[in-house]
Amino acid sequence: MIRRTMSIFFAAMIFMSMLEIPANAENVGTKPWMNTKLSAKERTELLLNAMTLEQKIQQIAISRFNENDKGEPVVIKKGGTNKYQSGVFPPEGTLPGCEFQDTGRQIHGIEELGIPTVRMTNGGTGVKGGSCHNDPVATGLPSTVAMAATFNRGLNYEAGRILGEETRAFAHHVMLGPGMNLVRHPYGGRNYEYFSEDPYLTGTLATEQVKGIQKQGVQAQLKHLAGNEQETERWTMGVQVPSKAMNELYMLPFEMTVKNANPASVMCSFPDVNGTYACDSSELLQDALRRNWGFGGWVMSDRRAIHDTVAAIKAGTNVELDWAPQYYTQEKIKKALDSGQVTETDIDNLLRPRYIKMIEYGHMDKPFNKFMPEIVDLNVNGASARKMAEEGSVLLKNKDGFLPLDGKPKSIALIGVEWFAGKAKMSPRSIGINNENVVTPYTVTPKQGLENVIKELGYNTKVTYNDGLDPEAAAKLAAESDVVLLMVGDTPGETIDRETLGFPAIPLDKNAPREDWVDQEPMIEAVMKANAKNTVVVLKTSGTVLMPWLDQVPAVLEAWYPGMEDGNAVANLLYGKVNPSGKLPMTFGATEREAAFATEKQYPGTRQDTGKPGGPGPYGNGSNQLIAQYTEGLEMGYRWYEANKVKPVFPFGYGLSYTTFKYGDLKVMRVRGSKGSLSGIDVSFTVTNTGKVAGKEAAQVYLTLPNEAGEPSKRLVNFEKVDLKPGESKRVTLRINLADSNHPFSYFIPKEPNNLANWADGEWATADGKYIVHVGGSSADTPLEKSVPLNFKLSKKGKGKSRK
């Protein structure tokens, strides 16, 4: 009653602001929260005051319903134990032409209150899997890890622009992406959806994608916060992450993006994080996300990631994602209200940030009530996708300048199973191991791309494709050909981690039984025996693979999953129309078990009797819980290789070019703030193209902190991609600020280092002493180094003054 009285008083206080008659005056008379002259916060309070408790509860969960305008209802009978997945769905005509999607990614609107339905589509390499089953024709972008390999901020912004534009054209309000978990180990089934092993690179490029998405009037949703670095038993498993590693590595990309891009929403993850499931964790969603970072948006659970109604409400999980609500039901919430465990104010707190964002984005005032494919130029977006695939591909080996190809070879054998060599390799967009992806306007196969370039350059070279199903036939073609292009790849997928770092068997179709899958390894072995010295291997993988034949072949190109422009992009690189400029966003190691995945305890984990259900599937199978222990702490990725003085096959940040680059003339200048205190440094250096062709170089700046910080290695703190003509030099200056969101000069001191449950409490500290600046072309190749003493606690005159 008190809350209602205060709300009425609040409405009276803003009455004066409603005297000017707005365009939607008719609505404002009965729905004052529709007055666009008011702020989003004011309108939200008026709306909350007008809602019944039942309406509020309905608005904090996903609803499946049929938005079509056809006359026949849809009946879903999935059966089994999950009866809530079934139902009868009459047509409502909310979005004409929207065919029923039983996955369910909608929040049902309330027409009488002017609240529109919110539709969400899954991201982030193309628009697919939204609230409508009839997916739109959309741009098939390269995999996210390929986007990271570009080391190009502008291209990642363009990727976001495309995703936002095409989401808006699909009449959807929220893009569920980008994925921002780190590539902690190469087995991760969703590594292709993530950026890199490095938190700074991930946070920087995710920030650009979010800005690009939201500029189009679409809300981005960062995922999956946090600890979602594997798919094995993802619904029930837990992670134990030391506080320093949690804050300096796994949380840092999210912190950067929250602070730099102001994302509208975040998705909380499946895992049990340091003792509490992510979507039930106040430590994660209140202490870290909202208190420490100042996040003002809303949080949605991953599907079936809530485990406790009261805990999730108190933690601030604003929306439950499922086929139908399981924990945010009218019955369970009213029971919690009656018992006093939650209050109606708690429910208001769940709704408030989402309504504010809806109003800020215009979603409350301009409903997305029709598809608008006319706003999308798929040819323009396709050209951007090609450039992304080109700049993201990484040339790993090129002995004696075997590449680029020219007109001398008269025959090229293109060999590989259809997934990788017979058609454009798209980034997977489905659960399980199959090759489903977005509905694209066109694709370019590897053979088409090669023939396009050969024709354009006026060469007389014949390309013959062999699908590798018969290794002997593949070997015969290889032996008879001047050049062999061997295209091989891996098969990760959501819910399934990779089983091997080699090249797995491939299903010929998604219904093929496992015994009928086609092995790649016999094909590779046969081709190597036949003509290894003239074989270029094109990798189409989610990340690290083991290459025992590496010394036998002259050239290797990592193309990742190039997307719909696969054929053109790869051919342009192989023939030198485009100079390779991608850099590895993760380390390529030498064995199946090393670094952060050296032991079973680290990955996939060992079983512990935690009292929580374990095993595969959303509800487990009665096993003890699988717990992955991040015992490596900060020694993950390139940090482990540096700390343990182990030389990887290919280091983080590595990538060759058809030209060469030289770094020189490093200078480091202190930068001072308005009151004379040290605020950062400017790192300046020169990059020169010392070769004979134009090329791009992703110059990287790393920083080693003083010993006091206890860091295992240097860390990436900035980068810039420079485009240079033959013989051209450019002066690059990059600023590293103390206040930057990645805490470049700082390290995290936990309040209770041995209390994993209290991992978010602590402070960032900045050491005084000798910092070392490293500049170069990879984490393992930094020819420019300079030691710089820094004391951020002293003013310009040397008087003590602490900075927070």
Side-chain angles (χ1 to χ4, degrees), residues 57-65 78 81-86 89 100-108 118 120 129-131 176 221 234-235 267-268 270 279-280 298-309 312 317-329 332 431 617-619:
I57 296 172
Q58 178 267 317
Q59 282 282 288
I60 60 175
I62 293 295
S63 301
R64 288 187 301 164
F65 64 97
K78 290 195 173 184
T81 59
N82 301 333
K83 294 182 179 179
Y84 70 95
Q85 294 185 27
S86 301
F89 307 93
F100 181 74
Q101 167 63 282
D102 70 342
T103 299
R105 291 192 175 97
Q106 306 144 297
I107 302 175
H108 202 306
V118 173
M120 310 178 198
S131 296
L176 304 183
Q221 185 166 109
R234 66 173 186 172
W235 287 285
M267 178 181 285
C268 53
F270 289 117
C279 296
D280 302 341
W298 54 283
V299 174
M300 185 170 77
S301 73
D302 210 336
R303 194 178 298 273
R304 288 152 292 164
I306 290 177
H307 292 259
D308 182 280
T309 300
T317 298
N318 304 81
V319 176
E320 180 185 9
L321 170 63
D322 212 320
W323 282 277
Q326 296 301 291
Y327 291 90
Y328 284 5
T329 63
K332 288 184 177 179
I431 291 177
Y619 312 103

Side-chain angles (χ1 to χ4, degrees), residues 26 35 51 91 134 172 193 225 487 603 670 685 738:
E26 183 178 342
N35 185 352
M51 297 176 71
N134 45 321
H172 281 54
E193 290 187 42
L225 189 73
M487 297 188 177
Y603 169 79
R670 293 173 178 80
F685 53 93
L738 176 66

